């Protein structure tokens, strides 16, 4: 891989910039909806607001995350910022997402203990726990856990022969690569110690909630049948259809948002273990699709809540009614009044 390949950077920007703009715009709409509605100013929505802010920051950093896989000419400080800061935003987004899932999981599983949850009693501490650990972990390379002192042409400027070219010298302030910033142990710890357990925890909590919902639905259907003398009512059928739709929505969300990222993550680990370069275009497309799909998860949660989308829907209706009124008014024929001068 060359030290600086503009075509690959252009491909990354072409894929990520539209996705990033959509994520930023959607997050801003939901953030404004929560901020402007005083009825939504409570602890659960504050946690979700923190998640939206983290997702907004991830959307801003989205074009720079795939760039971490390229080799560029940057100084030591610039290289650290280019790798540490996007990684911090990604980990903060992931931990905020886990926090939101856990808060809603406790609300359903243990509703009697929900008001006494430590997250509600000490909201600033819970918010700090969602942002401080990612910052500390992502900053470990800046505190010395890196491979910056290794010769950069051994893993950074491959494909140029046995000796590095003039633009990829052995100067430790020239070639910037994720291999020089993140040691293999750091990558393994982040993937299998933080990211994968977080995804599995959210999947387990979601499955547990669906299982409890199914049990409650069976109890409701049993009561309806006892009232209706063993006959299935229309309301029971509607509840079953609603539950089926919920299961399908959760399954499609997981398949569409998490599976691409899991594939990208394991492909990166395979390349790291085998020390193979692979197809750069395929790796770029996988990274952009995986990270972009993962960043859509909070938007799915937010847009599925009518309380968050109601202000935008009302604004859209007002604009549509005003536009229709203008079109109707412009289409009306002009009314002319003839005045008879002889009439007094």
């Amino acid at each position: 891989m060359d030290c600086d390949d503009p075509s690959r950077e252009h491909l990354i920007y072409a894929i990520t910039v539209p996705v990033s703009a959509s994520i930023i715009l959607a997050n801003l709409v939901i953030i404004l909806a929560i901020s402007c509605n005083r009825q939504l100013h409570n602890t659960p929505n504050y946690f979700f607001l923190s998640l939206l802010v983290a997702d907004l920051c991830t959307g801003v950093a989205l074009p720079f995350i795939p760039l971490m896989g390229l080799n560029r000419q940057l100084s030591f400080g610039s290289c650290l910022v280019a790798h540490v800061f996007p990684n911090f935003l990604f980990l903060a987004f992931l931990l905020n997402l886990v926090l939101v899932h856990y808060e809603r999981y406790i609300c359903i599983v243990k509703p009697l203990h929900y008001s006494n949850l430590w997250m509600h009693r000490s909201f600033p501490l819970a918010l700090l726990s969602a942002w401080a650990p990612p910052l500390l972990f992502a900053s470990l390379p800046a505190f010395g856990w890196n491979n910056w002192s290794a010769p950069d042409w051994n893993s950074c400027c491959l494909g140029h022969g046995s000796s590095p070219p003039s633009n990829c010298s052995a100067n430790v302030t020239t070639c910037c690569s994720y291999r020089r910033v993140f040691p293999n142990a750091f990558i393994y710890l982040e993937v299998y110690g933080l990211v994968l357990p977080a995804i599995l925890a959210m999947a387990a909590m979601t499955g547990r909630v669906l299982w409890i919902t199914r049990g409650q639905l069976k109890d409701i259907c049993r009561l309806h049948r006892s009232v209706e003398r063993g006959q299935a009512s229309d309301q029971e059928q509607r509840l079953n259809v609603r539950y089926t739709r919920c299961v399908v929505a959760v399954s499609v969300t997981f398949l569409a948002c998490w599976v691409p990222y899991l594939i990208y993550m394991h492909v990166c680990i395979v390349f790291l273990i085998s020390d193979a370069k692979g197809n750069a275009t395929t790796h770029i497309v996988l990274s952009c699709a995986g990270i972009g799909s993962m960043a859509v998860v909070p938007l799915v949660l937010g847009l599925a809540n009518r309380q968050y989308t109601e202000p935008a829907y009302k604004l859209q209706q007002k604009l549509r009614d005003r536009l229709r009124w203008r079109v109707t008014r412009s289409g009306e024929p002009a009314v002319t009044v003839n005045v008879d001068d002889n009439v007094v």
Side-chain angles (χ1 to χ4, degrees), residues 280-300:
T281 303
T282 304
H283 185 270
I284 289 173
V285 172
L286 281 176
S287 64
C288 297
I291 299 169
S293 62
M294 179 200 60
V296 176
V297 175
L299 302 182
V300 175

Side-chain angles (χ1 to χ4, degrees), residues 10-279:
H10 295 161
L11 177 61
I12 291 175
Y13 289 135
I15 298 176
T16 57
V17 167
V19 179
S20 176
S22 303
I23 292 174
I24 293 173
L25 181 61
N27 276 290
L28 287 176
V29 170
I30 302 176
I31 289 174
L32 290 176
I34 297 176
S35 302
C36 297
N37 191 350
R38 292 185 177 181
Q39 296 179 353
L40 300 178
H41 291 182
N42 49 49
T43 303
N45 289 317
Y46 289 154
F47 284 120
F48 193 73
L49 191 63
S50 176
L51 173 61
L52 293 175
V53 172
D55 192 35
L56 177 66
C57 296
T58 304
V60 174
L62 182 61
F64 304 99
I65 296 178
L67 287 176
M68 294 165 62
L70 300 183
N71 301 313
R72 295 167 290 170
Q73 295 186 25
L74 296 174
S75 64
F76 175 71
S78 300
C79 188
L80 282 178
V81 172
H83 288 79
V84 170
F85 191 66
N87 193 37
F88 155 65
L89 294 178
F90 163 73
L91 293 177
F93 159 77
L94 189 64
L95 197 55
N96 274 276
L97 191 59
V98 173
L99 198 65
V100 169
H101 275 76
Y102 177 73
E103 191 268 339
R104 298 188 177 184
Y105 169 78
I106 296 297
C107 176
I108 296 175
V109 176
K110 298 179 180 180
L112 298 179
H113 302 280
Y114 177 70
S115 58
N116 296 325
L117 192 63
W118 68 272
M119 300 165 58
H120 291 183
R121 288 186 282 105
S122 55
F123 171 72
L125 180 62
L127 199 63
L128 183 64
S129 66
W131 289 89
L135 179 61
L136 293 176
F137 182 81
S139 301
L140 289 179
F143 294 131
W145 194 10
N146 55 62
N147 290 329
W148 195 260
S149 59
D152 58 3
W153 62 80
N154 288 339
S155 59
C156 183
C157 299
L158 297 176
H160 295 285
S162 58
S163 61
S166 58
N167 64 337
C168 292
S169 63
N171 190 341
V172 296
T173 61
T174 300
C175 198
C176 175
S177 171
Y178 76 94
R179 291 178 179 270
R180 305 191 67 190
V181 178
F182 302 130
N184 291 351
F186 180 90
I187 297 176
Y188 293 147
L189 179 60
E190 179 173 336
V191 172
Y192 295 109
L194 298 178
V195 177
L196 192 58
I199 297 175
L200 293 178
M202 288 185 288
M205 287 187 286
T206 303
R208 176 63 176 165
V209 168
L210 291 177
W211 182 263
I212 293 175
T213 305
R214 181 60 180 173
Q216 294 176 349
L217 181 61
K218 288 182 179 180
D219 295 338
I220 295 174
C221 293
R222 191 180 300 111
L223 292 175
H224 275 286
R225 289 181 181 180
S226 63
V227 174
E228 299 292 335
R229 296 181 180 181
Q231 296 180 357
S233 62
D234 294 337
Q235 186 175 2
E236 180 181 345
Q237 294 179 356
R238 288 195 297 269
L239 289 174
N240 288 325
V241 171
R242 184 175 298 179
Y243 177 77
T244 304
R245 289 178 178 175
C246 181
V247 173
V248 171
V250 171
S251 303
V252 171
T253 302
F254 181 81
L255 292 175
C257 297
W258 287 114
V259 171
Y261 177 74
L262 292 174
I263 294 174
Y264 155 71
M265 183 174 63
H266 285 88
V267 167
C268 292
I269 292 298
V270 170
F271 284 157
L272 184 66
I273 295 175
S274 60
D275 201 16
K277 292 189 292 183
N279 191 333

